[in-house]
Amino acid sequence: MSPFELKDELIKLASGSENRLMLNAGRGNPNFLATLPRRAFFRLGLFATAEAELSYSYMPHGVGGLPQIDGIEARFERFTSEHRDQPGVLFLAKCLSYVRDQLGLPASAFLHEMVEGILGVNYPVPPRMLRVSEQVVREYIVKEMIGGFIPAGTVDLFAVEGGTAAMTYIFHSLQQNGLLKRGDKVAIGMPAFTPYIEIPELEEFGLDQVHIDADPHANWQYPDAELEKLKDPAIKIFFCINPSNPASVKMDDRSLETVARIVSESRPDLFILTDDVYGTFADDFRSLFAICPRNTMLVYSFSKYFGATGWRLGVIAAHKDSVFDKALEALPDETKASLSRRYGTLLPDVKSLKFIDRIVADSRTVALNHTAGLSTPQQVQMVLFSLFALMDESDGYKTELKKLVRRREAALYRELGVAPEHDLNAVEYYTLLDLEELARKIHGDDFAAWVKAKFSSGDLLFRIAKETGIVLLPGKGFGTKQPAARVSLANLNEYEYASIGRSLRAMADQYYEEFKESKEGTQSSPKKAT
């Protein structure tokens, strides 16, 4: 079973006693969130509703009309001035100033797009992403994921319903356009988020997996020997999570440079797909998109950093001059003819249709392309999240979140009685408890060997759930080769992680007593007569 289905069984066990609190450390959903851009969203909604009522002010019974762009800046400035004492309003005023004065975008067009967007009165136009919204969010993606290493204007975005929708759409379009076929090889950076291991195995894809294994003894970095596998021309795509899940470390500079060298010297045709959702929790993060922009399709979700899993906000980013488009040009004439029939209702010259725009069309079975796209209120919240981060020049919000998860990690390991390993590339959104190594650090090599021989990692997780009420996810479900448990450091409070650490330590001590008794029993048992 997938660890995400297994967790339901663990929760049942952990919830079995009325005398204790069940602690679910298996969920990646954070218990923190960005409040200011949410306040701004609701305040903006009030202004937008007033704009709608202004259009049809002569009609009673709550009827409004489409907001007008003429004079919208003056009306907005009056609104922010009259309500500046209300939380979120001053932030909205600063957003308009930043968009106009720092990003150089037309203020009236931005305001009108936000007002229409939050009211949800039109289909998303363009369906890939609202025009001004794309420019704002692109600045955020370039700043946070790419580090400003490439011009923002060279990046196209498609706003989608979170990172999972992005992956679904991308794999579907790769298949529909003949860029991935049954039996093709896909390289996956391991360990990995379990669904990403399962997608290529589905009947409709039938892809052959090549694992690029991170080394747990090298702080979960990919050895050069593993990355060298990407030189195999049969591998069509390298699929990875950076920073990783569940190991929660970013790719170091050596790994990034190795991939860049392989692409430059051996694999200029390699597709790279990177999920960078945890990048904002890392120090000095750089995506693979920063070093191999033409080869890379970047997926980013706003869910973890802004505490917005329920909003379903994500983007797909592609370079305007990508190898995905080059691969479309190189397809056989027969395949091109088939694709011309598939997309022919969208435009006369199908060969000019970019791969990212094909993803948009395929997300609505092509025929419904005109109704594609993320809902406009969702796009507005995405814009406000982006502006919140862009205007936070001191990175105050980011610093607080990093301190938050690191304090939780410290509390967990402190009560375990084990010092966490400090690594500059660690993100600490999750932590992997290597069960054998943990036993060794607590009570020595012999105890660790006994634990490994006596229990499987699955046994231990079920015992932990039943005996302590703690839910952890199995590392092997994510592709780790050693028995391990993934602990999310995002969804509980600090004292609860301390409680988890104490409970796990008490359980380890209890098993150590059992180990000592078994050892003493073995030593004292008489030898059999020969």
Side-chain angles (χ1 to χ4, degrees), residues 339-359:
L339 293 173
S340 289
R341 290 190 294 273
R342 178 177 179 81
Y343 299 110
T345 57
L346 305 182
L347 73 174
D349 184 18
V350 169
K351 65 177 180 291
S352 67
L353 187 65
K354 293 181 179 180
F355 180 64
I356 194 169
D357 291 312
R358 297 179 189 217
I359 297 175

Side-chain angles (χ1 to χ4, degrees), residues 28 115 177 180 304 310 315 326-327 332 421:
V115 166
N177 284 273
L180 271 184
K304 303 300 194 294
V315 289
K326 294 285 192 298
E421 294 184 6

Side-chain angles (χ1 to χ4, degrees), residues 342-415:
R342 178 177 179 81
Y343 299 110
T345 57
L346 305 182
L347 73 174
D349 184 18
V350 169
K351 65 177 180 291
S352 67
L353 187 65
K354 293 181 179 180
F355 180 64
I356 194 169
D357 291 312
R358 297 179 189 217
I359 297 175
V360 178
D362 292 332
S363 74
R364 295 298 182 271
T365 326
V366 182
L368 295 167
N369 178 73
H370 68 289
T371 63
L374 186 67
S375 79
T376 59
Q378 287 173 285
Q379 294 194 48
V380 170
Q381 183 68 90
M382 189 188 296
V383 168
L384 293 174
F385 282 149
S386 297
L387 287 169
F388 174 63
L390 286 168
M391 294 190 298
D392 185 8
E393 294 182 355
S394 65
D395 281 337
Y397 178 77
K398 180 183 292 187
T399 301
E400 285 302 314
L401 293 194
K402 287 180 180 179
K403 287 195 295 187
L404 186 70
V405 295
R406 288 168 185 175
R407 283 198 307 266
R408 292 171 177 182
E409 180 193 44
L412 171 69
Y413 280 94
R414 182 184 65 243
E415 297 300 325

